[in-house]
Amino acid sequence: MSRKIQNSLLAFIMATSVTALFYQTNLSFMKVEIYHIPILFIVILLLSAFIAEDVRNSFKKVLWFEKREDKRPIWQVGVGMIFYFAQIGFVEVFARGLMQYDLGGMPMYIIIPFLNAFLLTVIFEEIFYEEKRDVVENYKFKKLK
């Protein structure tokens, strides 16, 4: 289940990135929408759904995920990055009106997804992360009088 969620979010990230890039051009056919959803987004989402698993595995190879003894920190960073960019992509494509607000010069659409990504990563980890334990130590407790 975790893999499917990650792959669907990666496909969403890729689709929103491409849509945000091309939506700003002067080409009118790039701005065609159905129910306020760009057609380009739908097409790219379907295409990127097929390659999302390969993209995720490529990141794992680049970061030497399988060779690490402690996989937890890099797993958290990867999942957090996925949540972060999915939220930013959503704002860039579907809620462009939220891009104008800032907090002391820093855009709010960058700050709030960072905080949300941290919380979502903790929740996601509690649900899906499986830690392999090789050694279990037995402890002897003293009897209290």
Side-chain angles (χ1 to χ4, degrees):
M1 184 70 174
S2 171
R3 182 178 294 153
K4 289 180 183 179
I5 293 171
Q6 290 177 31
N7 288 343
S8 62
L9 286 174
L10 273 175
F12 182 81
I13 291 168
M14 289 185 278
T16 55
S17 298
V18 172
T19 304
L21 282 173
F22 286 109
Y23 201 72
Q24 297 304 312
T25 63
N26 292 331
L27 303 172
S28 61
F29 67 90
M30 294 287 184
K31 298 178 182 181
V32 177
E33 296 179 346
I34 295 178
Y35 299 115
H36 302 288
I37 299 173
I39 297 293
L40 179 64
F41 171 78
I42 296 169
V43 171
I44 299 297
L45 182 65
L46 294 174
L47 293 175
S48 61
F50 290 111
I51 64 169
E53 179 74 24
D54 295 330
V55 170
R56 198 172 60 79
N57 289 334
S58 298
F59 275 108
K60 287 170 81 173
K61 286 180 184 176
V62 167
L63 298 173
W64 295 345
F65 183 74
E66 298 300 328
K67 295 180 183 177
R68 295 176 183 266
E69 288 182 25
D70 187 12
K71 293 178 172 47
R72 184 175 178 211
I74 198 71
W75 185 88
Q76 290 174 329
V77 169
V79 170
M81 178 203 67
I82 290 171
F83 285 129
Y84 178 70
F85 285 115
Q87 292 174 73
I88 287 181
F90 177 80
V91 170
E92 288 179 345
V93 174
F94 299 108
R96 292 196 66 83
L98 297 175
M99 293 178 72
Q100 64 189 2
Y101 302 108
D102 65 354
L103 178 66
M106 184 68 138
M108 290 295 285
Y109 84 99
I110 293 176
I111 296 171
I112 293 174
F114 183 77
L115 301 172
N116 289 340
F118 174 74
L119 292 173
L120 287 170
T121 302
V122 171
I123 293 167
F124 195 79
E125 179 183 17
E126 289 298 321
I127 295 171
F128 291 111
Y129 184 74
E130 296 175 6
E131 188 174 358
K132 306 280 192 273
R133 296 184 185 195
D134 296 332
V135 179
V136 177
E137 295 181 22
N138 291 327
Y139 291 100
K140 292 184 178 178
F141 295 101
K142 293 182 181 179
K143 289 185 180 178
L144 299 174
K145 294 181 182 181

